[in-house]
Amino acid sequence: MVKTLTIDLGDRSYPIHIGAGLLTASGLIDRHIAGRQVLVVTNDVVAPLYLDPVMASITAPDKASLVLPDGEAFKTLDTVNRIFDALLERRYSRNATLVALGGGVIGDIVGFAAACYQRGIPFVQVPTTLLAQVDSSVGGKTGVNHPLGKNMIGAFHQPRAVIADTATLDTLPDRELRAGVAEVIKYGLIRDAEFFHWLETNLDRLLQRDPAALAFAIERSCRNKAEVVSADEREVGLRAILNFGHTFGHAIETGCGYGKFLHGEAVAVGMCQAADLSARLGLLPAEDVARIVRLIERAGLPTVPPAELDSERFLRLMAVDKKNVDGRIRLILLEEIGRAALPQAVPVELLKATLDEYGRTVV
Ligand code: NAD
Ligand code: GLY
């Protein structure tokens, strides 16, 4: 069964199709390719699993594929340039379509290449990780990392469609599944208390890959993301809540070297730190912080940062964040489970208290 949600953005609106077996049986990828030229971009882990069936399902006469090296460490401008090389070598024009087949790293790189090539060409997101299916493939944020900051180079560029084949999650390693669960928990925390309760009850089913539980969690997450993005595409206000835990998390990713902590793992730690800080500011009861940490722990995710990042280093890394204004760190905090506040500057001594506390609990 296919579930279809819509990102409502006027003439740039697009569908998110969710279901098992969509890569091949449905003909859906083909339906969202307008021109004759298609470049499917994937990586050397996903290609042996899914590239052949995807290529076979595309009927455009001038189709090709490009297989990039796997990993966050390759989410760079050099890699984007490899996509430009492939497009130019084949003389692909402005109505060529890029297809991003893979996790969030592939989706972000390919989306950025699509945003830039000849000032913008269509692309289709075919996410194959839980994290990409619930978050990164939806909403049009594209980009790459800079050695000094995560996702610092990028563009907003919406895909023509998102095609999430839940059957691809069968081959996903457990650690990657758990990283995706971190972003699922995020939606419960920032705007969906009922979903947070559901996760408290059904987390084990999710971790055991129960198809019905996965399908429900993916759809509910995408519904939350679709509502936020449809209301605030360019992150003028509300959309910032999707970054709950991410300022801490990005500091961990940049500070440890890209790829050491998975994005979802870093966000999991960041959500614990952001919850702790919310309590220090008197916004969130201590029992709720404990509930949040407990669920994240049960998901097999880390709840404390790596020992190598002391508070001073953390603060320096957190100073490079897209939510900051005039050099001041602004954070998303929780007012209760299921309700996040818009970004706010926080007293630096309270932020340091959280960082010091977490520095002490390092294992
Ligand atoms: P990833 O893309 O690195 O994928 C994780 C690993 O799983 C990789 O080794 C990948 O090759 C492999 N893989 C992918 N699909 C597989 C499958 N079906 N079976 C087996 N292996 C598979 O990581 P991710 O967690 O998907 O994405 C993280 C990235 O997403 C980060 O760079 C993060 O910044 C970005 N992100 C972007 C947004 C956005 O809005 N654009 C939102 C959240 C995260
Ligand atoms: N993952 C943050 C956003 O899409 O806005």
Side-chain angles (χ1 to χ4, degrees):
M1 199 179 56
V2 190
K3 281 271 172 64
T4 300
L5 308 175
T6 303
I7 298 281
D8 206 350
L9 295 171
D11 60 2
R12 286 171 301 107
S13 297
Y14 58 93
I16 307 167
H17 302 295
I18 304 165
L22 300 191
L23 278 195
T24 47
S26 64
L28 274 173
I29 300 179
D30 217 32
R31 201 184 304 165
H32 293 289
I33 293 170
R36 297 167 58 82
Q37 301 170 327
V38 185
L39 181 68
V40 179
V41 184
T42 187
N43 69 31
D44 52 19
V45 170
V46 176
L49 298 167
Y50 303 112
L51 182 57
D52 285 351
V54 166
M55 292 307 289
S57 77
I58 294 173
T59 56
D62 188 0
K63 60 183 176 183
S65 61
L66 174 67
V67 179
L68 298 171
D70 176 46
E72 184 76 37
F74 292 97
K75 191 173 152 182
T76 62
L77 282 173
D78 282 346
T79 306
V80 175
N81 220 19
R82 285 193 54 187
I83 301 176
F84 297 151
D85 291 346
L87 290 165
L88 286 165
E89 278 158 13
R90 298 185 69 85
R91 307 284 185 270
Y92 274 13
S93 54
R94 282 186 69 190
N95 64 343
T97 301
L98 284 175
V99 174
L101 173 66
V105 169
I106 283 290
D108 280 11
I109 298 172
V110 175
F112 186 52
C116 301
Y117 186 69
Q118 299 195 16
R119 301 201 182 90
I121 62 171
F123 84 115
V124 176
Q125 287 273 19
V126 185
T128 61
T129 63
L130 179 61
L131 187 138
Q133 293 187 356
V134 299
D135 191 354
S136 63
S137 66
V138 175
K141 279 190 181 176
T142 72
V144 295
N145 300 327
H146 186 279
L148 294 179
K150 170 92 180 148
N151 292 341
M152 277 293 141
I153 317 295
F156 285 100
H157 187 55
Q158 300 295 342
R160 291 295 165 101
V162 178
I163 297 159
D165 183 342
T166 52
T168 60
L169 303 182
D170 291 350
T171 54
L172 197 65
D174 275 337
R175 185 177 171 201
E176 298 293 349
L177 187 85
R178 289 194 293 268
V181 170
E183 298 279 15
V184 172
I185 293 173
K186 177 190 77 181
Y187 293 112
L189 290 175
I190 59 172
R191 70 191 303 272
D192 194 346
E194 196 182 288
F195 188 32
F196 187 83
H197 292 301
W198 182 89
L199 286 166
E200 287 185 312
T201 309
N202 291 283
L203 183 72
D204 297 339
R205 285 176 64 211
L206 211 51
L207 296 175
Q208 285 153 16
R209 301 169 193 241
D210 174 298
L214 271 174
F216 175 81
I218 294 168
E219 190 197 331
R220 185 81 171 223
S221 299
C222 284
R223 199 175 289 283
N224 272 295
K225 183 140 189 190
E227 284 170 8
V228 172
V229 172
S230 297
D232 178 22
E233 180 189 11
R234 296 267 165 159
E235 201 168 308
V236 180
L238 177 70
R239 184 166 179 168
I241 65 171
L242 296 172
N243 286 311
F244 176 64
H246 283 55
T247 307
F248 295 98
H250 286 167
I252 293 171
E253 287 185 85
T254 307
C256 295
Y258 297 123
K260 212 159 166 194
F261 254 62
L262 300 181
H263 176 71
E265 292 171 342
V267 167
V269 176
M271 291 194 297
C272 295
Q273 291 173 301
D276 177 276
L277 184 54
S278 305
R280 282 176 202 276
L281 280 155
L283 297 170
L284 190 69
E287 323 70 275
D288 283 351
V289 181
R291 254 176 92 190
I292 293 166
V293 173
R294 209 174 311 127
L295 187 66
I296 290 173
E297 245 165 21
R298 277 181 57 208
L301 287 159
T303 55
V304 292
E308 64 201 84
L309 292 186
D310 60 31
S311 306
E312 289 304 322
R313 178 112 194 280
F314 236 113
L315 276 178
R316 281 200 302 279
L317 288 161
M318 290 174 80
V320 183
D321 185 87
K322 294 189 286 307
K323 286 183 297 308
N324 295 347
V325 176
D326 294 335
R328 293 193 73 190
I329 296 174
R330 291 160 82 242
L331 295 167
I332 310 297
L333 299 166
L334 287 186
E335 290 172 343
E336 61 183 322
I337 289 179
R339 189 155 54 96
L342 293 179
Q344 54 191 288
V346 291
V348 78
E349 60 283 5
L350 287 186
L351 174 55
K352 276 196 79 174
T354 288
L355 293 171
D356 288 343
E357 175 67 25
Y358 272 75
R360 266 197 295 280
T361 49
V362 154
V363 281

